[in-house]
Amino acid sequence: MSDNRERQCREFARLLDIMDRLRVECPWDRKQTWDSLRSNTIEECFELCDAIAAQNKGNICEELGDMLLHIVFYSKIASEEGAFDIEDVARKVSDKLVYRHPHVFGDVSVSDADDVSKNWEQLKQKEKNHRKGALSGVPKGLPSLIKAFRMQQKAAGVGFDWNDKQEVWGKVKEEIAEFEAELQKENSETAVDEFGDILFSLINVARKYGIDPENALERTNRKFMTRFEKMENMAEEKSTSLSDMTLEQMEALWQKSKM
């Protein structure tokens, strides 16, 4: 074992020892359950995502540590109940990685990352054949944009996918036309459905071109926020506010904010 691996194992063992002690000596840690930790875990996930989006490596390291703590915490609670422990958690994920990478640990050949993704989904279905279908593993609580992307990935994994990228663009144009038709009819309920179809087809475009739509939208959100805050600052420098300006004046500030 290399010196680096020994240090890694030593620090992980230290974390396990700390958790063992906290569950005995700390009143707060001692009373925690899976349910009580759940909301904190969700918050930690979002904090990690924020750190990644900001490309702040120091914060990423810290937030990964918080996530690791939660994994150890849940595993400790489970071990106390006799359900499983951290060894089981590590073994299961290691076994899963070996099984789902036959092109690395077996004799399967792949040509690119797309082949790897398809093999992954197919193996996952065999592994979990007690489920009803390919989409049953998509968590119901996922944000809608991510859920759509994951459903499309899983459908593609069993062969339900466009053969040509250009075909997806045709679907986008078709959905936009249907949406415009419903708007002209002033059928608001159906227009909502058609607008959802537009978003779904655009997510398909992103997937076919190797773009993560969640990351793309978050980058646009951050860009808009940065520019809008610049607009507010420029308006304040003029001793006014955006709400007191005309649309033309705000557009001028918007253009300046892009410089």
Side-chain angles (χ1 to χ4, degrees):
M1 184 183 294
S2 68
D3 290 343
N4 188 50
R5 183 53 52 86
E6 286 183 1
R7 288 195 299 272
Q8 292 170 346
C9 291
R10 189 162 55 246
E11 282 302 323
F12 188 66
R14 178 172 172 246
L15 176 58
L16 297 179
D17 290 341
I18 290 171
M19 177 51 62
D20 288 345
R21 185 170 177 179
L22 290 176
R23 283 292 284 181
V24 174
E25 299 181 23
C26 176
W28 186 89
D29 289 280
R30 191 167 56 238
K31 77 173 188 177
Q32 297 311 306
T33 65
W34 289 352
D35 288 336
S36 69
L37 288 172
R38 181 176 176 274
S39 60
N40 288 340
T41 304
I42 293 171
E43 183 178 344
E44 294 296 352
C45 286
F46 279 105
E47 289 179 356
L48 173 59
C49 290
D50 282 348
I52 292 172
Q55 290 292 292
N56 187 319
K57 293 181 174 57
N59 284 353
I60 292 172
C61 180
E62 181 177 350
E63 298 302 339
L64 284 172
D66 290 342
M67 289 300 300
L68 180 58
L69 169 61
H70 277 245
I71 293 169
V72 169
F73 212 148
Y74 286 116
S75 300
K76 176 61 178 176
I77 295 172
S79 70
E80 294 168 353
E81 298 175 356
F84 59 83
D85 61 16
I86 194 67
E87 179 185 347
D88 297 313
V89 173
R91 183 177 62 254
K92 280 183 176 293
V93 72
S94 293
D95 289 346
K96 182 189 297 183
L97 287 172
V98 171
Y99 175 73
R100 294 188 188 172
H101 290 81
H103 54 288
V104 176
F105 300 101
D107 55 6
V108 172
S109 297
V110 295
S111 58
D112 53 28
D114 286 340
D115 279 354
V116 174
S117 296
K118 289 177 182 177
N119 285 344
W120 178 280
E121 291 299 338
Q122 290 169 0
L123 289 168
K124 193 171 182 179
Q125 282 305 304
K126 291 179 182 177
E127 200 176 294
K128 302 183 178 182
N129 53 18
H130 61 283
R131 287 182 173 165
K132 293 181 180 179
L135 305 183
S136 59
V138 179
K140 293 181 175 62
L142 277 179
S144 297
L145 191 150
I146 299 175
K147 185 190 293 184
F149 187 61
R150 291 295 293 132
M151 289 194 300
Q152 291 172 8
Q153 284 182 318
K154 287 182 176 294
V158 296
F160 187 69
D161 197 9
W162 301 95
N163 291 320
D164 193 306
K165 295 177 182 178
Q166 294 304 316
E167 294 175 334
V168 191
W169 280 115
K171 186 63 176 175
V172 172
K173 294 173 183 177
E174 175 188 324
E175 298 296 352
I176 291 175
E178 291 177 0
F179 174 60
E180 290 175 337
E182 294 305 322
L183 289 179
Q184 290 175 2
K185 296 176 186 176
E186 296 187 353
N187 189 334
S188 60
E189 196 64 34
T190 309
V192 170
D193 292 338
E194 295 299 342
F195 186 71
D197 290 345
I198 293 174
L199 295 178
F200 195 84
S201 57
L202 282 172
I203 291 168
N204 237 336
V205 170
R207 181 181 60 83
K208 294 297 286 184
Y209 283 87
I211 296 170
D212 186 313
E214 170 65 22
N215 290 342
L217 183 57
E218 178 57 22
R219 286 174 62 169
T220 296
N221 287 341
R222 287 176 176 271
K223 181 168 56 180
F224 180 85
M225 181 177 292
T226 298
R227 291 176 180 174
F228 195 82
E229 287 174 348
K230 284 183 179 179
M231 288 173 61
E232 290 178 317
N233 291 336
M234 285 187 284
E236 187 175 346
E237 289 173 0
K238 297 176 181 292
S239 300
T240 186
S241 65
L242 295 181
S243 59
D244 293 328
M245 301 177 76
T246 65
L247 184 58
E248 289 75 15
Q249 290 172 322
M250 285 190 281
E251 175 62 23
L253 291 185
W254 175 259
Q255 294 303 324
K256 286 183 179 180
S257 72
K258 295 161 66 174
M259 298 177 182

